[in-house]
């Protein structure tokens, strides 16, 4: 990715280089925010969430207003996390991604295909398959769709409903027809292959109803797919009892000054933001000094002629 910049620099194409730098500066400038600098500059923990010695629960969220910006940072974390968790002799863990199309998850298809042997489950949630195809591309979306073994779906229409109907397969169904005329009444029975769950049924599911298929290998050497149509029954009392038993999440980072009792979040974020900018400037200056003092590298520093 840096090669075009190096090539323009070596050929003294300064105007071309300035254009390239300007093009790169626009998306990089969007990432420069005190909040994002704070999150990505700490060393609070490592991303090996299924480490037997230090298991963790990691929760990251996107911002709909800054989806394209934060998506790059989250994609970086996810790509690194996938490599760390997909290893032998780790704890069982689950990677749950809701609203999948809002973030690009590099290596997701490989994670689904290989991580099961390392006791890592993957749960994906999205509104419609067309979103996945739009943001991940047709080929990668097809790989993800075909690799997943268990599907759940509520009301959905269009091509997604047709896809689910075809995935659930067909079954031999019996049909009865009744014919009545002035002389006699006749009944005929016939059997034919028909969709187990028609697309029209999926498109008209009411709230609380869903269809799905479960990849199951219990009692057989090969995987059998169990298709179901169920209605969710919610026990409100049980949920209330469970919620009351929740423990409050500890306040890991507090910005309140114990002496004054004031929230100093804004000041701390700005201080961290300015510190990183200063560190980068000092790093660039040290490198320029090092290059300028090295006879073999001095030619890399170009100065404007009078």
């Amino acid at each position: 990715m840096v090669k075009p910049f190096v090539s323009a620099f070596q050929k003294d194409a300064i105007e071309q280089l300035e254009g390239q730098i300007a093009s790169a500066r626009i998306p990089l400038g969007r990432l420069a925010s005190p909040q994002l600098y704070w999150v990505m500059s700490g060393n609070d923990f490592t991303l090996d969430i299924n480490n037997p010695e230090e298991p963790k629960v990691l929760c990251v969220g996107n911002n709909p207003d800054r989806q394209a910006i934060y998506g790059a940072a989250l994609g970086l974390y996810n790509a690194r996390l996938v490599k760390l968790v997909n290893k032998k002799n780790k704890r069982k863990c689950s990677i749950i991604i809701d609203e999948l199309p809002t973030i690009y998850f590099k290596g997701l298809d490989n994670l689904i295909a290989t991580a099961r042997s390392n006791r890592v489950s993957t749960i994906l949630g999205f509104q419609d398959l067309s979103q996945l195809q739009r943001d991940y591309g047709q080929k990668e979306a097809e790989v993800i769709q075909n690799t997943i073994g268990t599907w759940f779906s509520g009301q959905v229409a269009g091509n997604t409903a047709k896809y689910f109907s075809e995935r659930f397969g067909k079954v031999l169904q019996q049909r009865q027809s009744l014919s009545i005329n002035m002389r006699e009444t006749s009944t005929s029975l016939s059997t034919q292959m028909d969709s187990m769950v028609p697309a029209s049924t999926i498109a008209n599911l009411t709230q609380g109803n869903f269809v799905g298929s479960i990849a199951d290998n219990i009692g057989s050497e090969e995987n059998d797919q169990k298709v179901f149509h169920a209605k969710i029954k919610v026990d409100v009392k049980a949920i209330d009892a469970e919620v009351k038993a929740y423990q409050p999440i500890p306040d890991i980072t507090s910005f309140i000054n114990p002496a004054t009792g004031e929230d100093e979040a804004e000041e701390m974020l700005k201080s961290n933001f300015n510190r990183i900018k200063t560190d980068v400037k000092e790093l660039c200056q040290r490198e320029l000094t090092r290059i300028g003092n090295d006879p073999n590298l001095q030619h890399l520093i170009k100065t404007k002629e009078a």
Side-chain angles (χ1 to χ4, degrees):
M1 296 180 67
V2 181
K3 189 65 177 176
F5 296 88
V6 177
S7 178
F9 179 80
Q10 291 175 341
K11 295 178 181 179
D12 289 332
I14 303 302
E15 293 182 358
Q16 176 185 345
L17 184 60
E18 283 293 333
Q20 293 173 336
I21 293 176
S23 300
R25 184 178 291 143
I26 294 173
L28 290 175
R30 294 174 181 169
L31 294 174
S33 68
Q35 292 80 9
L36 200 58
Y37 274 39
W38 175 269
V39 173
M40 303 193 71
S41 62
N43 57 351
D44 308 89
F45 65 96
T46 55
L47 291 175
D48 52 343
I49 59 176
N50 57 347
N51 186 341
E53 304 298 328
E54 296 180 350
K56 311 171 189 70
V57 175
L58 175 63
C59 180
V60 295
N62 208 341
N63 184 345
D65 297 331
R66 301 171 65 88
Q67 176 178 317
I69 301 171
Y70 289 164
L74 293 175
L76 175 64
Y77 279 123
N78 294 336
R80 182 59 182 161
L81 185 143
V82 166
K83 294 181 180 180
L84 293 175
V85 301
N86 195 12
K87 294 181 180 180
K88 299 291 184 182
N89 303 320
K90 298 286 187 177
R91 290 176 65 99
K92 289 189 291 185
C93 72
S94 182
I95 297 177
I96 305 172
I97 312 168
D98 192 21
E99 299 296 348
L100 175 64
T102 63
I103 180 174
Y104 183 74
F105 204 115
K106 184 178 180 180
L108 179 59
D109 51 346
N110 185 61
L111 175 69
I112 300 170
T114 62
R116 281 176 290 188
S117 60
N118 294 327
R119 305 189 298 175
V120 178
S121 67
T122 308
I123 302 174
L124 310 178
F126 44 88
Q127 301 292 333
D128 193 274
L129 288 177
S130 59
Q131 292 179 316
L132 190 68
Q133 295 168 356
R134 178 196 63 195
D135 296 327
Y136 277 73
Q138 184 71 28
K139 292 184 178 179
E140 190 166 355
E142 287 183 1
V143 173
I144 294 174
Q145 292 170 208
N146 296 333
T147 308
I148 295 175
T150 299
W151 286 86
F152 297 89
S153 174
Q155 182 185 21
V156 67
N159 292 331
T160 303
K162 294 178 182 178
Y163 172 82
F164 279 123
S165 180
E166 294 175 357
R167 187 180 180 93
F168 297 151
K170 295 185 177 182
V171 65
L172 191 63
Q173 296 185 357
Q174 188 178 71
R175 295 197 174 188
Q176 179 180 354
S177 62
L178 181 65
S179 177
I180 302 176
N181 56 38
M182 297 178 60
R183 296 183 179 180
E184 60 182 7
T185 300
S186 62
T187 302
S188 62
L189 297 176
S190 62
T191 57
Q192 66 180 38
M193 297 294 292
D194 202 358
S195 298
M196 184 176 294
V197 184
S200 58
T201 300
I202 301 175
N204 293 291
L205 289 173
T206 58
Q207 185 176 7
N209 286 268
F210 64 95
V211 295
S213 62
I214 300 176
D216 185 18
N217 59 358
I218 299 176
S220 63
E221 295 181 357
E222 297 181 356
N223 286 355
D224 295 326
Q225 195 174 56
K226 296 183 178 179
V227 180
F228 62 87
H229 180 190
K231 180 176 178 62
I232 301 175
K233 295 181 179 180
V234 180
D235 188 343
V236 179
K237 293 183 178 179
I239 293 177
D240 290 340
E242 181 181 345
V243 171
K244 291 179 180 178
Y246 286 167
Q247 297 295 323
I249 298 176
D251 191 358
I252 300 175
T253 302
S254 176
F255 296 100
I256 298 177
N257 190 331
T260 61
E262 296 181 356
D263 189 352
E264 299 180 350
E266 196 69 25
E267 291 77 8
M268 294 183 68
L269 293 178
K270 286 184 178 180
S271 175
N272 181 74
F273 182 70
N274 293 330
R275 179 184 61 81
I276 293 175
K277 292 175 67 175
T278 302
D279 290 345
V280 173
K281 289 180 180 178
E282 291 178 354
L283 174 63
C284 293
Q285 188 58 46
R286 287 199 305 269
E287 283 300 297
L288 287 172
T289 303
R290 182 183 65 85
I291 294 173
N293 294 333
D294 190 336
N296 298 324
L297 300 177
Q298 288 178 350
H299 67 281
L300 295 176
I301 298 180
K302 300 183 183 297
T303 57
K304 290 184 179 181
E305 297 181 1

